[in-house]
Amino acid sequence: MAPEHPQFMSSTVETDLQSGAQYKYELLWIVLLASCAALVIQSMAANLGVVTGKHLAEHCRTEYPRVPNTILWIIAEISVVACDIPEVIGTAFALNMLFSIPVWIGVLLTGLSTLILLALQQYGIRKLEFLIAFLVFTICACFMAELGYAKPDAKEVVKGMFVPQLKGNGATGLAISLLGALVMPHNLFLHSALVLSRKIPRSVRGIKEACRFYMIESGFALMVAFLINISVISVSGAVCNSSNLSADDQKSCEDLDLNKASFLLRNVLGKWSSKLFAIALLASGQSSTITGTYAGQYVMQGFLDLRLKPWIRNMLTRCLAITPSLVVALIGGSSGAGELIIIASMILSFALPFALIPLLKFTSSKTKMGEHVNSLMIASVTWMIGSLIMTINIYYLISSFIKLLLHAKMKMVGKVFVGILGFSGVAVYLAGIAYLVVRKNRKATPFLALTSAAAAEDCNESLSHLPREDIVSMQLPERIVSPADI
């Protein structure tokens, strides 16, 4: 299983930077909410895989008719591509900072990441992930060190974390982007599948211990990621709202993106700030390439029972991500590319209910989870979190669309026509969510644990459920996996 290191993802950093620059510490509560939600939701995804021996996409294929299943697959694939777009742009920005390569050319060069991934397979994925984690932790440590120079007001930071507020449509849009960047829908498919590559005893006690271990593992990674996000927003908020900024830095803060953010680390790294920041962006791009490839593999295998070689799967995803990134980089330049990162994060937030609701329904089903079913408290909290995310999404959609219609320079007939189309789209979105919520689970999953006390006492290594070889074989590096290797 891929290690649970916090990812320094381009989408997360971009939204953190803009949140701090535009709204100072006012959106920190979203980071706290999203981190807590991610812990609960990722733990539930892992529990589903551990208990049933199937991951989320496989459950969807078994449970839903062909048309809904196909729609869920398309949305999941869009999520994987939307996650890859920020990494394409982040890598292009990194190449621009390191070698002064135009952003649009950098976007094209990101297609080479597939070849890099192929070349690195021979060294083993663990060594690669260790190198990536080291580079990412280095730049994250720099952001935390920068807190000592930025000196954000502690009272304002605490207030921002615990007093919810959304001032205006711009703040709501960034809140949605933060939610999408921190609670990614494709991660639910990923976490429910990765646990199947580990050795898990099939006793009730063994399953409970495995679920507890995965929750602790996710909790540690998310706690570190939470501290990183808080430090990035705090540094951005403190620096960009300082009264003694230079004219150049003020200009950077007005339109802050990844390509301009390295000045925030100048106190810690001096003239090396842009170079190290660029290296961290390159590292995060490769990290996301690995996780995106895994997620795409599991989504395709689960929904369609179709398997591709990892490098082919990665090339498909990367090509789909390069196309909009290239168009925007050519037309809008660096600023337009930065905006596309925010839009991609918002797409992730809008797609989240279509992975989250099936997960909540499956893990709350006694016929699927047996005695490991969600408790009433966990089920209530997760449904509240899901409802809050969906409410924010729908509010933003409707308010943005009304604002667009009111300020659009078109005739009344055109406004009515566009309004009908827009609100029909919102209605379809709501209908899809309602279908998933209302529809009852109809398929029972064979419970894999040994439930009797005698069987549990006699459980030993011979009764362990070996990792699923089909899941292991989809991971990097590609090689024949034997039980002894596992």
Short mmCIF file of all heavy atoms in Angstrom, two decimals, residues 46 49-51 194-203 206-211 214 459 463-467:
data_model
loop_
_atom_site.label_atom_id
_atom_site.label_comp_id
_atom_site.label_asym_id
_atom_site.label_seq_id
_atom_site.Cartn_x
_atom_site.Cartn_y
_atom_site.Cartn_z
N ALA A 46 -11.56 2.96 3.94
CA ALA A 46 -10.66 1.84 4.28
C ALA A 46 -11.44 0.71 4.94
O ALA A 46 -11.22 -0.47 4.64
CB ALA A 46 -9.55 2.34 5.20
N GLY A 49 -13.24 -1.55 2.44
CA GLY A 49 -12.37 -2.52 1.78
C GLY A 49 -11.94 -3.64 2.70
O GLY A 49 -11.93 -4.82 2.31
N VAL A 50 -11.58 -3.29 3.95
CA VAL A 50 -11.10 -4.28 4.92
C VAL A 50 -12.19 -5.30 5.23
O VAL A 50 -11.95 -6.51 5.25
CB VAL A 50 -10.63 -3.59 6.21
CG1 VAL A 50 -10.38 -4.61 7.31
CG2 VAL A 50 -9.36 -2.79 5.95
N VAL A 51 -13.40 -4.81 5.48
CA VAL A 51 -14.48 -5.70 5.94
C VAL A 51 -15.03 -6.57 4.81
O VAL A 51 -15.27 -7.77 4.99
CB VAL A 51 -15.62 -4.86 6.57
CG1 VAL A 51 -16.83 -5.74 6.90
CG2 VAL A 51 -15.12 -4.16 7.83
N LEU A 194 -6.61 0.37 -1.76
CA LEU A 194 -5.22 0.15 -1.33
C LEU A 194 -5.13 -0.81 -0.14
O LEU A 194 -4.15 -1.55 -0.01
CB LEU A 194 -4.57 1.48 -0.96
CG LEU A 194 -4.15 2.38 -2.14
CD1 LEU A 194 -3.59 3.70 -1.63
CD2 LEU A 194 -3.12 1.68 -3.02
N VAL A 195 -6.15 -0.80 0.73
CA VAL A 195 -6.10 -1.69 1.90
C VAL A 195 -6.16 -3.16 1.47
O VAL A 195 -5.75 -4.05 2.23
CB VAL A 195 -7.25 -1.40 2.88
CG1 VAL A 195 -7.12 -0.02 3.47
CG2 VAL A 195 -8.62 -1.55 2.20
N LEU A 196 -6.64 -3.41 0.25
CA LEU A 196 -6.75 -4.79 -0.24
C LEU A 196 -5.41 -5.36 -0.67
O LEU A 196 -5.31 -6.53 -1.02
CB LEU A 196 -7.74 -4.85 -1.41
CG LEU A 196 -9.16 -4.38 -1.10
CD1 LEU A 196 -10.03 -4.45 -2.34
CD2 LEU A 196 -9.78 -5.21 0.02
N SER A 197 -4.36 -4.51 -0.67
CA SER A 197 -3.03 -5.00 -1.03
C SER A 197 -2.24 -5.40 0.21
O SER A 197 -1.06 -5.71 0.11
CB SER A 197 -2.26 -3.92 -1.81
OG SER A 197 -2.02 -2.77 -0.99
N ARG A 198 -2.89 -5.39 1.37
CA ARG A 198 -2.22 -5.77 2.62
C ARG A 198 -2.81 -7.06 3.18
O ARG A 198 -3.92 -7.46 2.85
CB ARG A 198 -2.35 -4.64 3.65
CG ARG A 198 -1.43 -3.47 3.38
CD ARG A 198 -1.52 -2.46 4.49
NE ARG A 198 -0.54 -1.40 4.32
CZ ARG A 198 -0.44 -0.37 5.15
NH1 ARG A 198 -1.24 -0.27 6.19
NH2 ARG A 198 0.48 0.57 4.94
N LYS A 199 -2.05 -7.66 4.06
CA LYS A 199 -2.44 -8.93 4.69
C LYS A 199 -3.30 -8.63 5.91
O LYS A 199 -2.86 -7.95 6.84
CB LYS A 199 -1.18 -9.69 5.09
CG LYS A 199 -1.39 -11.11 5.53
CD LYS A 199 -0.04 -11.75 5.78
CE LYS A 199 -0.19 -13.21 6.15
NZ LYS A 199 1.13 -13.84 6.37
N ILE A 200 -4.54 -9.14 5.92
CA ILE A 200 -5.49 -8.82 6.99
C ILE A 200 -6.09 -10.12 7.53
O ILE A 200 -6.71 -10.87 6.78
CB ILE A 200 -6.62 -7.92 6.48
CG1 ILE A 200 -6.04 -6.63 5.88
CG2 ILE A 200 -7.60 -7.59 7.60
CD1 ILE A 200 -7.05 -5.85 5.07
N PRO A 201 -5.94 -10.42 8.83
CA PRO A 201 -6.58 -11.61 9.42
C PRO A 201 -8.09 -11.52 9.29
O PRO A 201 -8.68 -10.45 9.52
CB PRO A 201 -6.14 -11.56 10.89
CG PRO A 201 -4.92 -10.69 10.90
CD PRO A 201 -5.13 -9.68 9.81
N ARG A 202 -8.73 -12.63 8.96
CA ARG A 202 -10.18 -12.60 8.75
C ARG A 202 -10.95 -12.94 10.01
O ARG A 202 -11.99 -13.59 9.96
CB ARG A 202 -10.57 -13.57 7.63
CG ARG A 202 -9.97 -13.30 6.28
CD ARG A 202 -9.93 -11.85 5.89
NE ARG A 202 -11.21 -11.18 5.96
CZ ARG A 202 -11.37 -9.88 5.80
NH1 ARG A 202 -10.31 -9.11 5.60
NH2 ARG A 202 -12.54 -9.35 5.88
N SER A 203 -10.47 -12.51 11.16
CA SER A 203 -11.24 -12.63 12.39
C SER A 203 -11.86 -11.28 12.70
O SER A 203 -11.44 -10.24 12.18
CB SER A 203 -10.33 -13.06 13.55
OG SER A 203 -9.36 -12.06 13.81
N GLY A 206 -9.20 -9.19 14.21
CA GLY A 206 -8.21 -8.78 13.22
C GLY A 206 -8.73 -7.64 12.36
O GLY A 206 -7.99 -6.70 12.04
N ILE A 207 -9.99 -7.71 11.96
CA ILE A 207 -10.58 -6.66 11.14
C ILE A 207 -10.67 -5.35 11.91
O ILE A 207 -10.36 -4.28 11.40
CB ILE A 207 -11.97 -7.10 10.63
CG1 ILE A 207 -11.80 -8.18 9.56
CG2 ILE A 207 -12.74 -5.93 10.06
CD1 ILE A 207 -13.09 -8.76 9.05
N LYS A 208 -11.09 -5.43 13.18
CA LYS A 208 -11.19 -4.22 14.00
C LYS A 208 -9.82 -3.57 14.18
O LYS A 208 -9.69 -2.34 14.12
CB LYS A 208 -11.81 -4.55 15.36
CG LYS A 208 -13.31 -4.81 15.31
CD LYS A 208 -13.87 -5.07 16.70
CE LYS A 208 -15.39 -5.24 16.65
NZ LYS A 208 -15.96 -5.52 17.98
N GLU A 209 -8.80 -4.38 14.41
CA GLU A 209 -7.45 -3.84 14.59
C GLU A 209 -6.95 -3.19 13.29
O GLU A 209 -6.29 -2.15 13.32
CB GLU A 209 -6.50 -4.94 15.04
CG GLU A 209 -6.72 -5.36 16.49
CD GLU A 209 -5.75 -6.46 16.93
OE1 GLU A 209 -5.03 -7.00 16.05
OE2 GLU A 209 -5.71 -6.75 18.14
N ALA A 210 -7.26 -3.83 12.14
CA ALA A 210 -6.85 -3.27 10.86
C ALA A 210 -7.54 -1.92 10.62
O ALA A 210 -6.90 -0.95 10.20
CB ALA A 210 -7.18 -4.24 9.72
N CYS A 211 -8.84 -1.85 10.92
CA CYS A 211 -9.58 -0.59 10.75
C CYS A 211 -9.00 0.50 11.64
O CYS A 211 -8.86 1.67 11.23
CB CYS A 211 -11.06 -0.80 11.06
SG CYS A 211 -11.94 -1.85 9.87
N TYR A 214 -5.61 1.74 10.19
CA TYR A 214 -5.75 2.63 9.04
C TYR A 214 -6.25 4.00 9.45
O TYR A 214 -5.88 5.02 8.85
CB TYR A 214 -6.69 2.01 7.99
CG TYR A 214 -6.13 0.76 7.36
CD1 TYR A 214 -6.89 -0.39 7.23
CD2 TYR A 214 -4.81 0.73 6.89
CE1 TYR A 214 -6.37 -1.53 6.65
CE2 TYR A 214 -4.28 -0.41 6.32
CZ TYR A 214 -5.06 -1.53 6.21
OH TYR A 214 -4.53 -2.68 5.64
N CYS A 459 -8.23 -18.70 14.97
CA CYS A 459 -7.69 -18.02 13.79
C CYS A 459 -6.19 -17.87 13.90
O CYS A 459 -5.67 -17.41 14.90
CB CYS A 459 -8.33 -16.64 13.67
SG CYS A 459 -7.83 -15.76 12.19
N LEU A 463 -5.31 -18.73 8.31
CA LEU A 463 -6.63 -18.21 8.01
C LEU A 463 -6.58 -16.76 7.54
O LEU A 463 -7.61 -16.15 7.33
CB LEU A 463 -7.51 -18.30 9.27
CG LEU A 463 -7.87 -19.72 9.71
CD1 LEU A 463 -8.67 -19.67 11.00
CD2 LEU A 463 -8.65 -20.46 8.64
N SER A 464 -5.39 -16.19 7.41
CA SER A 464 -5.28 -14.82 6.97
C SER A 464 -5.74 -14.69 5.52
O SER A 464 -5.54 -15.58 4.71
CB SER A 464 -3.84 -14.32 7.09
OG SER A 464 -3.48 -14.25 8.44
N HIS A 465 -6.36 -13.56 5.26
CA HIS A 465 -6.81 -13.27 3.91
C HIS A 465 -5.65 -12.63 3.16
O HIS A 465 -5.27 -11.51 3.44
CB HIS A 465 -8.01 -12.32 3.95
CG HIS A 465 -8.45 -11.85 2.62
ND1 HIS A 465 -8.96 -12.68 1.66
CD2 HIS A 465 -8.44 -10.60 2.07
CE1 HIS A 465 -9.28 -11.97 0.59
NE2 HIS A 465 -8.96 -10.72 0.81
N LEU A 466 -5.05 -13.36 2.23
CA LEU A 466 -3.91 -12.82 1.49
C LEU A 466 -4.35 -11.59 0.69
O LEU A 466 -5.50 -11.50 0.27
CB LEU A 466 -3.35 -13.88 0.56
CG LEU A 466 -2.56 -15.00 1.21
CD1 LEU A 466 -2.16 -16.01 0.14
CD2 LEU A 466 -1.33 -14.48 1.92
N PRO A 467 -3.46 -10.65 0.43
CA PRO A 467 -3.82 -9.51 -0.41
C PRO A 467 -4.33 -9.97 -1.77
O PRO A 467 -3.88 -10.98 -2.30
CB PRO A 467 -2.49 -8.75 -0.55
CG PRO A 467 -1.68 -9.15 0.62
CD PRO A 467 -2.08 -10.56 0.93
#
